[in-house]
Each structure stands twice: as C-alpha cells, then as structure tokens.
C-alpha cells in the first residue's frame, strides 16, 4: 500500500523519508534533500542498499510525524531519542548515532553540571521545543526524579541560536543541548558569552518508521547496515565531521550504543 | 550578515509564494462561487450543505487546513484507490489554501450578489434577455465590482497566509527566511524577519495598487 | 384587441394586491393608470410582463393565449420580446455605457448583429439628442438623461406595447418636461402604451383613456374629462382632491 | 494507526488550555479595539503627521504575516529594551513574559484591522444623520456618540466578528514563542509518542466549536443591536 | 432685520456654487427660493447653518455679527440653537423613536430636563396628529409622517428661523398635501421661514417673497405675482416655462 511505488526496475522499493527542516547540524533542507549528519548517513545507506531508493523531503518537525503516522512517510530521520510511547507507536531501528548532552550557562552566571543541579539550585531552564526529544528527555527525567523536578516549559520550533541567546542575555539560567547544537553558536558574538558544561550523558538516537510490512523488511536491512557502518567507523567519521566531536570515542560509548532502551 | 545576501535568499522563495498566491486565489474563487451558488439556491438542503461547509472551513486554522490537505487528502483519495502522494507539495499547499479561502470568498460573493439591485436583473429580462444572459452580462459584473474591496482584503490575507506553508515543508519566502536564520543559528533572525516583513509589505502594496487601478478603471460603474 | 387580460389576481404575503382585474388595450391606444400609493399599479405591470407570476388570470397578447398563473418559459420570453418596460428608477445597466444600454437588448434579446444593433442604438440616441453621451455610464448622467435613455432602450426594440411605471416621479421638476415630451412624441407616432403616472397633466393631455386604480381594483375608467372632471366614484373624488394643490 | 483512546484522553487536556486561546484573543481584541478607536479618530480627523504615521502603520501591519510580526516583536522588543537601557533608560528586558509579547503582537495586528472595519462602518452611516443632529443644536461630539456611533455599531459587528474569529485562528501559531494554547498543548501531548493526528483532530474540533460559538454570539449581538441600538431593521 | 447676509461666496471643487449673495430676512417673513437643480440652493442653506463653511461672507443674525468664513465654535453652536433645519430626506435619527427624535434637540441642544422635553415633544406630536406613533421608529413610518415629525423636531426648538430644503420632493404626491398644510399653519403663526421648494403653488400661496436663484446668484425676487406672472429676466422665464406643464 501507501507510497511504495514500483519502479521501472521492479525489485527497487521506494522509501519516502522525511526530516525536520530546522535541526542543524542533524537535518536541514538541502536542495530538496536532507542535509547534515542524517543526509550523509542516508546517502550512504541508499548507496549500500541497492534494493531501496530513498525519496527525501524536509518539513516542520511536527509535520514530519503527522506524515509518518498517516503513512505518507515511511521513515523519519533526525536525532530521535528513546521514549516508550514513540517506540510503541512506530517501528524503530537500532541506534544510528550518539549525542553528547551538555548544559549551557552564562559565563559568570550560575553554573550547572547535572540535571539535578538545575533542580537543587532552582535554575530556570530555557523552554524546549515540545517536538524535541530533549522535551521528552526532561519529562522522563522528572518522572524518574520526582524529588528533583525541573520546571519544564514548552515552545514551538525554535533554533538553538535563539534559545542560547536567551541564556546569554540572562532571560534563562540554563539550556540543555547536544554538543553539536551548541558548538556552532559558540563562535557567534552571543555565544562567546556562554559556558558549556562537561558531558552530562550520552543519548542514543534511532530511526522511526511507520508500521507496515514493507517497513518491517526495511528495518531488518537498516539494522544490518547500521551495525556495519558502526563497525567500519563510518558513523564515527560522520559524527566527527558533522557533530564536531567523535562521541564514539567517549568512555562508555560502546556500551551505551549497544543497550536496548526497551529492556 | 550582508543585506544583499538576505534579500537574494528571501527572493529565491518568491516564485513559490507567488505561485501559491495566484493559483490558490483562482481555485478558492472557483470553489467560493460554487458554494455561494449553493447557498443562494432556493433549497434548504443546499443551504445547509453550504452552511456546514462554511462552518467547518472557516473554523479551521489555516495551519491545520494545510496539514489536512497534505496528509489527509491522500488518505481520502486512497480510499477510492487513487494515489496522489506523489503530487508535488506545491499542489497540496494550493489545495489547503484554496479550501481555506473558499469560505471567505463565498461569503464575499454571496453578500455582493445580494446587494446588486434586483431592478438590474429585471431590466435585463425586460429587454428580452434570457435569464442566463442577464446573469452573466449584467448581474455578475456588478457582483464582482461590489465584492472588489472584500476580495482585495482576502487576497492580502492570502498573501500572508502563504507564509504558513512551512508546515508542510514548502520552501517559500518565509521558509527561506527561517532557514537562512537557522544557518546562522538564529543570530540574524531579527534583521532577516524585518527584511521579510518589508518584502511582504511591498507585495501587498503592489496588490493594493492593482486594485486601485481596477477601481479607477470602473469608477463610473457605481453599483 | 392587442392585449386582453382577464381576471388577474395576485396575493403578496396574504395581501390581495390585485383582486381580479380585466384590462384590454387596443393597438395604438395610450392608457394612463392613476391611483394611490400601494394600490397595486406596479404589481399589475410586473405581472403583465411576468416579472411576477400571477395567482390566476388569462392573457391574450397578439395571437397568443397565455395562462398568467402558469406561463411557459418560451411564452414569457416571447412576451418580453414583444413588450418593453420603462422603470421609475430608470434601472439602466450600471455596468454598461449609454450606447450599450440600448444595444444590449437588440443583441441579446433579438439576436441582432452587434454592428447593426449599435447603429440602431446610435440612431435612437440621436433622436433623444444624447448621442454625445453615448460612452457615458449611467452614474455620469442626470436623472432626466438616464430616463430618456431608458425610454430609448425600450422603444428601440420596436415593441408592440411599452409599459411605463411612473417614469418621471424620480426626476427633478425641470427634467420632467423633457421626458414627458419624449413620451408624447412616442404616443403621437402611434405607439401603444400603458403609463402609470402621477402627472395628471400628462394623463389629461396625452392619454386616450384614464384608469383610476385603488386597492387592487379598477374603480373607474374613461377619457380624461370623464375621470378628472366628472368622477363617478367617491374614492376617485377623494384621491383627486388630495392630489390637487389646495393648501 | 489512529489511536482513538489517545485522541479521547487528550481531548480534555487540550480543551483545558482553550481558555488561554480565548483569553489571549479577547484581551488582544480589546486592546486592539482601543488602539483602533484612536487610529480612527486620528485618521478621520486628519490630525497632521499622526495621520500619515497611522496610515503607514495600518498598511504595514495589514501587509505582513502575523507570524512575521510575532517574531519581530519577540526578537525586536528585548533588543529595543536593551538599546534603551544602553541609552540610560532603565528597562528590564529579561523579565518580559512571552504572554505579554503575544498580547502586544496580536493587539497591534487587531488594531490595524479593526480600525479599517470601524472606518468603513463609520462611512456607511449616512452623513446626514450627523448633520441633522448638529442642526438641532447638539455639540459635535454628542452628535457622534448619540446618533452616529449607535448606528455604526450594527454595521461593524459582522466584520468585527470575522476579525475576532480570524484572530482566534491566528493564535494557533503563538506556540512558536512558547505559549501553551490549544495548538501548543496538542503538540506537547503528541511529542511524547510523536502521535500528532489524534491531538490535531482534537484541536480542530475545539477550534471549529469555538468559532461556531463566537459566530453565533456575534449574530445574536447583531440582532439585539439592530433592535435595540440602531433600529435599522425594517419592522414588518 | 432678523437675518442679514452679505456677499456670501462658496467654491466647491473649483465650482463657484455661491457667487456673492446678499440676503435679508425680516422677522415673520416667509421666503421661498426656487431655481434649477444644481444652482446652489441647498448649499446656501447649509452655509447659513454652518454645515459648510463659506469662503467669505458676513452674517448678522439677531444681535450677533458672524464672519461666515471663520465662525467660532461658540457662534456656530449659538446659531444652530436659534435656527432649525428640515431636510429633503427627513433625516430622522434612525436609532430614535418619533418622540425621542423631537426631544433629543431639547435635551442635548437646549439642555432641557428630560421630563420637560418629553412633554413638549408629546405636545408637538399631538399638534401634527401623530401622538399615537410616538414610540415608532422612522423605519416604521411613511414618508409623509416622517417629514411631519421632521418639522415638529425643528419647530419644537422654538427657533427664530426654520430652513426648509425641498421638504416635499421625496414624498408620494398624495402625501405632499399633509406636509404643506403643516408648513402653512406654521407660516400663519408667524414663524420666520426660508423654504427651498419646487412646489410653485406653495410659493404662490404662502410665501411673502419669492427668490429665483440660478447659477449661484439671485436672479430675481419679489412677491409671487411679480416673479411668477411678470418675470423680468429671461432665465426666470425659461425656468418657469420648463416647470409649467406644456406637453
Ligand atoms: N414583495 C412584497 N411582499 C408583500 N407585499 C408587497 C410586496 N410588494 C408589494 N407589496 C404590497 O403590494 C401592494 C401594492 O404594491 P405596488 O407597488 O403594486 O403599489 P403601487 O400602486 O405601485 O404603489 P406606488 O404608487 O407607491 O408605486 C402594496 O400594499 C405593497 O405593500
Ligand atoms: N461636495 C461637492 N463637491 C463638489 N461640488 C459640489 C459638492 N456638493 C455640491 N456640489 C455642486 O454644487 C452645485 C450646487 O449644488 P446644490 O446641491 O447646492 O444645488 P441645489 O440648487 O440644491 O440643487 P437641487 O435642486 O438639485 O437640490 C452643484 O453644481 C453641485 O454639483
Ligand atoms: Mg409603484
Ligand atoms: Mg438641493
């Protein structure tokens, strides 16, 4: 059913892929295709899996999931983290990347080195896009740590630059971002006023797929491919290239990467 | 950031914005005319259908309308076995905006039609025109002229609404702006958006000028 | 008999506006209808021309017999193409020039070629002395000019009967004369006309027959002298005295 | 794929923030109305300089998308305040609540649109009504308030109703600056499981109902106004 | 002299509508102004009542000297409170009842108590025989009734002068009489009035003086016989013959 379409070569299956259009450096629109880390990863997978052809598009993040849910898209790419509901709603791959989470504060202002710090020091956390995995991540944290709850505010699509500006001008005390999102901002005039914490944890990301027989089959191929790319160092290579540091070389990276969050 | 870079980037989205504007307006007008026609027929069923349509369409935020068009419409078509997923996004954007604006246009036409002097129609019949000639040659042109100020407002509203197609990933002027802003981590957001606002304003000023010219052309046709 | 109407009845919102009227018009006759406001004069003309459909009534027009309560589309069109009407508020097509107002009926009512229609329209404009206004829109013309074009629009169709509904009552007093003069000329040429009017002098000087109409009925009719100078009915007398300038 | 239970469970939660949408719309409309009246007075009285400024302001606001306006206020206002602080004026840009920014942006937007509606309603009142009022010796302002304004109101209501409904729908983008109204709540509810269709359907139902409700309300106002204030309806 | 106007001039869009007019009215005088459409009659009345501001001109009204080109707000208000105006289209306040239409000017123009104003308004309604319509809105009244209330609204203010601008020209012919009779009564009571009218019979029977006005100038004036029966000027003669029913 849905958007799979028999090509001239009937053995090739077309997969429609969507990614958010403002999630640099993970995904962004690049001449009608997906750019950034996942653009590179998809390109490689497309090359390797001859039986699949990946039709790419970018759109607003909530829209990506409306499309994924309705079956318009087969595969959604970005640094999606684990949440139980997501994994129940969609098919998911094994890990396809490793994010390094940091807390960003204002130089000379209040500091935080862990999520618990934010709660105990009563710091205000910059609002997080409700579609963003970080939002669910903090919700999850709050559920697990009812004693040290963080005051979480939602917001619509917002770039890292905007959020970090709010920290640098003192509107909020702290923001949480993967290092990759912080890094490009750090060199801007606002960014030089910021201080970044050490890694407060590593987080896996996954592909999410619309539930269908076609995609079950795709999933198997994807998982096999991801394992190959991890093992041959391709993931590490593009992580270094697009995300500014090779998180796969971090201590504990291997065990984190290979854990199954559903267990 | 250089102003010229901002302007050229934003203008690269202009063709999409204008395409959306022109085609959405044409289709919205066509649907709107149909709905107005339904609501003016002497039939309770037709009237209620048109009311229901208007209630639904006019109560739906354009943002949701676009999502519905892009994701809902293909599902609907699949029910009858037609796959339209491969249509371009631009088409879905046009569909969403057309449906969204059809409600407003229908009301504009309806009220304009009702305010055309009934005597005009009768005078046409009396010189021996058949009803359809009377309608198309006398009533319709006057309806359009009466509706003109309303239509102008709606076109301007439509220009602005095209900015919402970001929600289905169409790269119009607004999306070009947000993407440019994101390329620089949002540092130049304010500058970019001010330029964006000015470009939209120019488009609207141009539209106002066109309508002013039309009004001037027909200044003696005081309906 | 050119037009012969029998027992036309019309009810509007429980209001018996026409209570069974008989009316016959001979070819060449000029009939003036007078009567108080709201008595149904306009309604009568509108029913004759099928702008409204009567509740009952038979009409013989030329050689055609028409059931006024159930006229067929063809008969309606046929009737309208052999009759013309001039309105109180002129009702010139606002989106058409003076010339187009006159040619429109020729082209779309009588399927005439555009060229021919336009030259006929120009001739009609010439006759009322308004040829220099041919490209003007109604809003650019005075009331008197508009009404004279309204009359030209009606007569250019060469109709068997022209119906006039208070053609001068929306006009400034000095402009009334010009319109009435056009109408008088028309009458002198032998045009059959039914004229609803408040201009007693026109009724008196031009009409072959005057009909006094009240409350949906013909109360009294006859030539001008009979009706104006020797009214038989109280209602007629009362109306005439209200109109007369006795303050 | 459609999760009915999720849709039904989310509904009351999304509904619970509907007041934010409504209150935001109402406050913005009220402030907009006050600004609009000022604009109308300035423009109709042709007060020098202010008149042109008001005209440009209205044209600009009517010529730009609300989402762009929202961002310009959102990013521009703090910078303006910072700049003012630089000039020695003591302003605090930090504590600026987003709700204030939203109200401001939507009020500006409403003021421009409403001012145009009022102007057209004003022009549709027969000018001779005003003349008749001053000719019986009323002062001009009194002639306005007792005769012209009551007649203007009925002309205004349908347009005003449309503008208000548009504003309600336009608030569906305000989640972009972090205010939790209907659309934001729908997004938040969805983000956990990335299930959007259900919550968007909920939101749609709520919007359609709200719009239907206010449309009816304004219709009733109009009927009442016609009967009680303007008496413009023909009594049959 | 109650009202004495000197050399009033008014240009509208490069159009010399009033070309320097002198006009004096004695207390108790009834002046009828006749003249072709567009000659500036309405403009003259509007300038006297400051609904428009003249380009130049001096006005002496009662004991006040007013520069018509630069009237102060106070003088405008004062003038309006001692004059009243009756409009062609009645212009009753659409949002007020018949009674309120009359009392409004008393309460807000003359600062009268509401109670007193209302009893005066009722008396005025009684006099024109419309007391049973006191709670009706204008849309519920016929044109003749509306205009008679318009007259009551003006005269209840007990003005020194009432200005009438074609008070009957929007009325159905049968309704004209009632309004003219009200006006005649008023004249007989000694009310000073300036009446722009097309009703020659009223001018002839009621007016003390008739002024023929054309092209922004007073062409001729005198008593009715002089102007109607022995017009001195060609323009006057031409106008009178256009009005006369000679078709
Ligand atoms: N659409 C309608 N619905 C109900 N009653 C109507 C309608 N049209 C006209 N009438 C009534 O029918 C009666 C006759 O109206 P008509 O216009 O024919 O009178 P008229 O003799 O032409 O009057 P006038 O001299 O004022 O033009 C009036 O009492 C009027 O109120
Ligand atoms: N606002 C205006 N702008 C330009 N010209 C105007 C304006 N109002 C009136 N005029 C012109 O001024 C002249 C005098 O108009 P006015 O209404 O005073 O005439 P009138 O004698 O009262 O005519 P009528 O008998 O038709 O009422 C006319 O030629 C008219 O076209
Ligand atoms: Mg009639
Ligand atoms: Mg006048």
């Amino acid at each position: 059913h849905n958007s799979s379409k028999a090509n001239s070569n009937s053995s090739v299956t077309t997969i429609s892929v969507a990614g958010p259009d403002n999630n640099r450096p993970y995904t962004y629109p690049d001449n009608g295709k997906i750019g950034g880390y996942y653009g590179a990863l998809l390109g490689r997978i497309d090359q390797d899996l001859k039986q699949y052809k990946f039709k790419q598009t970018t759109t607003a993040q909530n829209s990506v999931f409306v499309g994924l849910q309705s079956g318009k898209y087969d595969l959604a790419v970005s640094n999606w983290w684990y949440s139980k509901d997501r994994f129940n709603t969609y098919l998911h791959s094994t890990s396809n990347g490793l994010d390094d989470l940091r807390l960003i504060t204002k130089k000379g202002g209040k500091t935080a080195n862990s999520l618990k710090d934010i709660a105990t020091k009563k710091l205000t956390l910059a609002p997080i896009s409700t579609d963003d995995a970080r939002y669910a991540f903090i919700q999850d944290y709050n559920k697990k740590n009812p004693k040290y709850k963080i005051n979480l505010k939602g917001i619509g699509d917002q770039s890292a630059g905007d959020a970090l500006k709010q920290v640098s001008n003192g509107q909020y005390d702290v923001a949480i971002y993967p290092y990759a999102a912080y890094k490009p901002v750090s060199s801007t005039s606002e960014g030089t006023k910021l201080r970044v914490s050490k890694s407060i944890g590593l987080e896996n990301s996954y592909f999410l797929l619309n539930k269908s027989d076609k995609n079950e089959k795709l999933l198997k191929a994807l998982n096999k491919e991801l394992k190959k790319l991890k093992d041959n160092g391709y993931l590490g290579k593009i992580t270094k290239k697009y995300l500014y540091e090779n998180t796969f070389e971090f201590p504990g990276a291997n065990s984190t990467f290979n854990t199954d969050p559903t267990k | 950031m250089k102003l010229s870079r901002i302007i050229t980037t934003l203008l690269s989205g202009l063709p999409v914005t204008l395409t959306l504007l022109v085609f959405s307006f044409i289709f919205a007008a066509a649907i709107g005319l149909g709905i107005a026609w339904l609501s003016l027929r002497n039939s309770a069923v037709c009237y209620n259908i048109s009311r229901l349509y208007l209630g639904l369409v006019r109560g739906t935020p354009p943002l949701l309308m676009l999502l519905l068009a892009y994701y809902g419409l293909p599902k609907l078509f699949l029910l009858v076995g037609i796959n339209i997923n491969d249509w371009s996004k631009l088409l879905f954007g046009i569909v969403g905006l057309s449906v969204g604006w059809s409600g407003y246009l229908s009301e504009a036409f309806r009220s304009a039609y009702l305010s055309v002097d009934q005597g005009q129609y009768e005078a046409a019949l009396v010189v021996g025109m058949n009803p359809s000639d009377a309608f198309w040659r006398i009533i319709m042109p006057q309806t359009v002229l009466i509706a003109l100020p309303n239509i102008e407002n709606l076109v301007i509203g439509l220009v602005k609404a095209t900015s919402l197609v970001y929600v289905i990933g169409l790269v119009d002027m607004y999306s070009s702006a947000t993407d440019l802003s994101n390329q620089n981590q949002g540092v130049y957001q304010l500058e970019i958006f001010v330029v964006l606002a000015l470009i939209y304003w120019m488009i609207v000023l141009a539209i106002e000028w066109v309508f002013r010219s039309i009004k001037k052309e027909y200044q003696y046709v005081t309906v | 008999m050119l037009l012969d109407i029998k027992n036309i009845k019309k009810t509007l919102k429980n209001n018996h506006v026409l209570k069974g009227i008989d009316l016959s018009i001979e070819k060449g006759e000029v009939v003036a209808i007078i009567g108080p406001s709201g008595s149904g004069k306009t309604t009568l003309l509108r029913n004759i021309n099928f702008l409204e459909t009567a509740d009952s009534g038979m009409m013989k027009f030329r050689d055609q017999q028409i059931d006024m309560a159930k006229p067929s589309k063809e008969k309606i069109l046929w009737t309208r193409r052999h009759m013309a009407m001039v309105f109180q508020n002129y009702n010139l097509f606002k989106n058409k020039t003076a010339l187009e107002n006159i040619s429109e009926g020729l082209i779309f009512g009588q399927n005439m070629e555009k060229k021919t229609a336009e030259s006929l329209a120009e001739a009609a404009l010439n006759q009322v002395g308004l040829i220099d206004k041919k490209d003007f829109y109604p809003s650019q013309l005075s009331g008197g000019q508009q009404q004279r074009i309204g009359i030209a629009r009606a007569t250019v169709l060469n109709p068997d009967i022209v119906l006039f509904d208070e053609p001068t009552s929306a006009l400034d007093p000095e402009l009334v004369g010009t319109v009435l003069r056009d109408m008088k000329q028309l009458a002198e040429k032998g045009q059959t006309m039914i004229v609803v009017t408040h201009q007693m002098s026109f009724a008196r000087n031009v009409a072959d027959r005057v009909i006094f109409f009240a409350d949906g009925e013909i109360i009294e009719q006859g030539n001008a002298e009979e009706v104006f100078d020797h009214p038989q009915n109280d209602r007629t007398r009362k109306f005439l005295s209200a109109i007369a300038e006795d303050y | 794929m459609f999760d009915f239970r999720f849709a039904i469970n989310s509904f009351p939660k999304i509904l619970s923030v509907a007041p934010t949408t409504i209150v935001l719309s109402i406050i913005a409309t009220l402030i907009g109305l006050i600004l609009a009246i000022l604009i109308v007075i300035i423009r109709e009285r042709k007060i020098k300089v202010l008149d042109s400024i008001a005209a440009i302001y209205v044209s600009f606001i009517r010529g730009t998308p609300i989402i762009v306006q929202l961002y310009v206020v959102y990013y521009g206002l703090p910078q303006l305040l910072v700049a003012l602080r630089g000039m020695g004026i003591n302003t605090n840009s930090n504590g600026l609540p987003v709700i204030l920014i939203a109200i401001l942006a939507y009020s500006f937007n409403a003021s421009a649109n409403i001012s145009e509606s009022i102007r057209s309603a004003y022009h549709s009142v027969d000018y001779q009504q005003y003349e008749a009022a001053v000719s019986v010796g009323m002062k001009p302002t009194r002639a306005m308030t007792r005769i012209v304004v009551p007649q203007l109101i009925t002309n205004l209501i349908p347009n005003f109703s449309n503008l208000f409904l548009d504003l309600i729908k336009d608030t569906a983008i305000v989640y972009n600056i972090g205010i939790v109204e209907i659309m934001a709540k729908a997004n938040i509810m969805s983000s956990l499981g990335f299930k959007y269709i259900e919550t968007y359907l909920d939101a749609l139902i709520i919007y359609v109902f709200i719009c239907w409700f206010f449309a009816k309300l304004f219709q009733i106002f109009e009927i009442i106004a016609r009967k009680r204030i303007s008496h413009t309806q023909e009594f049959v």
Side-chain angles (χ1 to χ4, degrees), chain C residues 41-42 88 165-166 196:
Chain C
K41 307 180 296 293
T42 298
Q88 176 173 4
D165 189 9
E166 302 190 23
V196 172

Side-chain angles (χ1 to χ4, degrees), chain C residues 4 17 25 33 72 101 123 143 169:
Chain C
D4 193 10
V17 182
I25 314 281
I33 301 182
S72 68
N101 260 281
S169 66

Side-chain angles (χ1 to χ4, degrees), chain B residues 5-19:
Chain B
R5 165 112 189 274
I6 297 179
I7 292 175
T8 47
T9 311
L10 297 196
L11 287 184
S12 72
L14 186 62
V16 172
T17 297
L18 292 182
T19 311

Side-chain angles (χ1 to χ4, degrees), chain A residues 38-222:
Chain A
Y38 284 97
L41 180 55
L42 267 179
R44 174 63 183 256
I45 295 173
D46 201 355
Q47 228 174 53
D48 289 355
L49 303 182
K50 296 282 179 244
Q51 70 275 38
Y52 288 107
K53 191 168 152 281
F54 292 85
K55 208 182 81 191
Q56 306 178 15
T57 189
T58 55
T59 181
Q61 183 168 299
N62 49 1
S63 179
V64 167
F65 285 101
V66 173
L68 189 67
Q69 204 183 343
S70 74
K72 180 149 184 141
Y73 307 131
D74 298 304
L75 172 61
V77 299
S78 190
N79 55 333
W80 316 124
W81 298 347
Y82 165 76
S83 110
K84 201 172 146 200
D85 281 345
R86 283 173 208 176
F87 276 31
N88 282 339
T89 314
Y90 302 106
L91 298 175
H92 62 92
S93 68
T94 53
S95 309
N96 61 22
L98 205 49
D99 279 325
D100 168 24
L101 273 178
R102 305 289 185 102
L103 294 177
I104 293 106
T105 49
K106 192 178 170 180
K107 269 184 192 153
K110 298 169 184 166
T111 60
N113 288 309
S114 68
L115 292 180
K116 202 175 143 190
D117 267 2
I118 298 178
T120 52
K121 291 185 179 173
K122 296 208 163 51
L123 302 187
T124 54
L125 178 67
I128 301 175
S129 166
T130 51
D131 308 321
D132 198 306
R134 295 172 298 127
Y135 191 87
F137 179 78
I138 302 289
Q139 274 187 327
D140 206 42
Y141 163 87
N142 277 344
K143 232 178 242 163
K144 283 182 191 147
N145 301 281
K147 276 195 201 153
Y148 304 107
K149 261 194 169 168
I150 296 173
N151 184 7
L152 175 62
K153 281 194 207 153
I155 194 171
D157 289 347
Q158 190 194 34
S159 68
D162 294 331
L164 292 177
K165 213 187 290 173
Q166 294 173 331
V167 174
S168 77
N169 69 23
Q171 208 170 335
Y172 294 99
D173 296 325
V174 57
I176 178 170
Y177 268 101
Y179 183 70
Y182 156 75
K183 187 67 173 62
V185 182
S186 65
S187 55
T188 66
S189 62
E190 294 286 316
T192 51
K193 299 180 196 158
L194 295 171
R195 172 190 172 277
V196 63
S197 73
K198 292 214 186 68
S199 175
I200 62 162
L202 292 174
E203 197 64 32
N204 283 315
S205 42
Y206 307 89
F207 287 137
L208 295 174
L209 296 86
N210 173 266
K211 277 183 181 163
S212 73
D213 295 343
K214 179 182 93 172
N215 291 344
E216 298 263 14
K217 238 170 84 189
L218 167 66
L219 192 58
K220 288 204 184 93
L222 276 180

Side-chain angles (χ1 to χ4, degrees), chain D residues 26-201:
Chain D
I26 291 178
I27 293 178
T29 304
L30 288 180
I31 297 176
L33 181 63
I34 294 166
L35 290 175
I37 292 171
L38 284 177
I39 294 171
V40 170
I41 292 173
I42 288 171
R43 295 196 66 186
E44 290 301 323
R45 290 225 170 149
K46 305 209 161 51
I47 297 173
K48 272 192 207 102
V49 187
L50 284 182
D51 179 23
S52 326
I53 293 173
I56 291 170
Y57 166 87
V58 169
S59 168
F60 177 76
I61 295 222
R62 278 163 48 86
T64 52
I66 175 81
I67 191 166
V68 178
Q69 290 165 15
L70 192 63
Y71 276 128
V72 169
V73 175
Y74 184 60
Y75 296 111
L77 197 62
Q79 291 201 9
L80 185 73
L81 292 180
V82 168
L84 285 178
R85 198 166 37 190
M87 287 160 52
I89 300 165
N90 191 10
T91 52
N92 181 6
S93 66
N94 299 347
L96 219 56
V98 278
I99 187 77
L100 198 73
I101 288 172
I103 288 175
L104 224 55
Y106 282 94
S107 299
F108 289 155
N109 193 269
S111 70
N113 292 322
I114 296 174
S115 79
E116 288 297 280
S117 285
I118 296 180
R119 263 157 46 97
S120 83
Y122 170 70
H123 289 299
S124 68
V125 174
D126 189 353
Y127 186 66
Q128 296 195 330
Q129 290 284 314
Y130 170 81
E131 294 189 336
V134 294
S135 83
V136 298
M138 283 192 206
K139 288 189 178 142
T141 41
R142 174 132 293 139
M144 277 292 165
T145 53
R146 286 197 65 82
I147 305 299
V148 178
V149 172
Q151 295 186 37
L152 163 168
I153 285 173
T154 28
N155 296 338
L156 179 63
I157 291 175
N159 247 324
F160 191 82
S161 164
N162 286 339
L163 291 179
F164 183 69
L165 298 195
D166 285 348
L167 190 69
I168 287 178
K169 287 181 282 168
D170 278 343
T171 59
I173 52 167
V174 76
Y175 75 88
N176 279 305
I177 64 167
I179 290 170
V180 184
E181 40 63 69
I182 294 172
M183 240 359 226
K185 193 68 182 178
N187 280 321
I188 292 171
M189 296 297 303
S190 298
S191 63
L192 213 57
F194 283 157
K195 286 189 277 198
Y196 284 90
I197 293 179
E198 293 82 356
T199 58
Y200 282 178
L201 183 74

Side-chain angles (χ1 to χ4, degrees), chain C residues 178-209:
Chain C
T178 58
V179 171
L180 287 178
R181 264 189 293 277
D182 281 6
M183 289 169 64
K184 192 180 178 192
Q185 253 181 38
L186 210 56
E188 281 163 357
K189 273 195 215 154
Q191 173 72 58
T192 317
M193 349 200 300
I194 305 179
V195 185
V196 172
T197 185
H198 287 305
Q199 292 289 330
M200 295 306 143
S201 56
F202 179 84
R204 195 183 272 278
N205 298 338
V206 184
D208 299 312
R209 179 158 44 121

Side-chain angles (χ1 to χ4, degrees), chain B:
Chain B
M1 191 184 321
K2 271 225 197 91
L3 188 63
S4 61
R5 165 112 189 274
I6 297 179
I7 292 175
T8 47
T9 311
L10 297 196
L11 287 184
S12 72
L14 186 62
V16 172
T17 297
L18 292 182
T19 311
L20 280 167
L21 174 66
V22 171
F23 286 97
S24 303
F25 177 72
I26 293 172
F27 290 125
I31 303 171
L33 277 176
I35 297 297
W37 177 79
L38 264 188
S39 70
L40 286 166
R41 300 202 53 188
N42 255 337
S43 146
V45 177
C46 292
Y47 180 79
N48 285 324
I49 290 175
S50 70
R51 281 286 119 187
L52 183 69
Y53 178 87
L54 288 180
L56 288 178
V57 164
R58 297 183 56 193
T60 307
L63 208 65
L64 282 176
M65 190 62 86
L66 284 164
L67 287 172
L68 271 175
Y70 191 45
Y71 299 110
L73 199 64
K75 291 234 122 181
L76 218 62
F77 269 70
L78 272 183
L79 290 181
V80 292
I82 304 169
N83 184 356
I84 59 168
N85 268 310
D86 290 331
W87 284 10
S88 91
K89 281 181 181 175
L90 197 57
L91 263 172
F92 289 106
I94 290 171
V95 170
L97 291 173
S98 303
V99 173
W101 251 247
S102 64
Y104 298 114
L105 277 164
S106 130
E107 284 298 89
F109 288 135
R110 197 175 90 94
S111 67
Y113 174 83
L114 289 176
S115 62
V116 174
D117 184 358
Q118 182 68 19
Q120 294 286 307
Y121 182 65
E122 296 186 342
L125 294 182
V126 154
V127 297
M129 283 196 204
N130 61 39
S132 79
D133 278 340
F135 179 79
W136 287 108
R137 295 194 56 80
I138 307 298
I139 303 303
M140 202 53 194
Q142 295 190 27
T143 302
V144 170
L145 270 180
I146 293 176
L148 218 52
N150 256 329
I151 291 176
E152 179 180 354
N153 280 336
L154 290 173
V155 172
I156 291 171
L158 192 57
V159 172
K160 298 187 274 175
T162 57
S163 65
L164 299 175
V165 296
Y166 73 84
V167 78
I168 61 171
L170 254 173
V171 186
D172 69 326
M173 220 159 50
Y174 175 79
S175 295
S176 309
T178 47
D179 190 51
L180 181 63
S181 168
N182 289 336
Q183 282 172 33
N184 299 279
Q185 281 70 43
V187 176
Y188 303 105
Q189 181 118 13
L190 184 61
E191 293 89 318
I192 294 170
F193 272 68
V194 168
V195 174
L196 178 65
L198 291 176
I199 297 179
Y200 275 115
W201 193 20
M202 311 265 238
I203 297 175
V204 168
L205 288 178
I207 289 170
E208 284 174 348
W209 177 81
V210 169
F211 275 87
R212 249 201 316 280
S213 312
I214 298 176
K215 272 181 241 164
K216 202 160 165 225
E217 177 79 24
Y218 292 101
Q219 60 178 320
Y220 296 116
V221 185
T222 47
V223 279

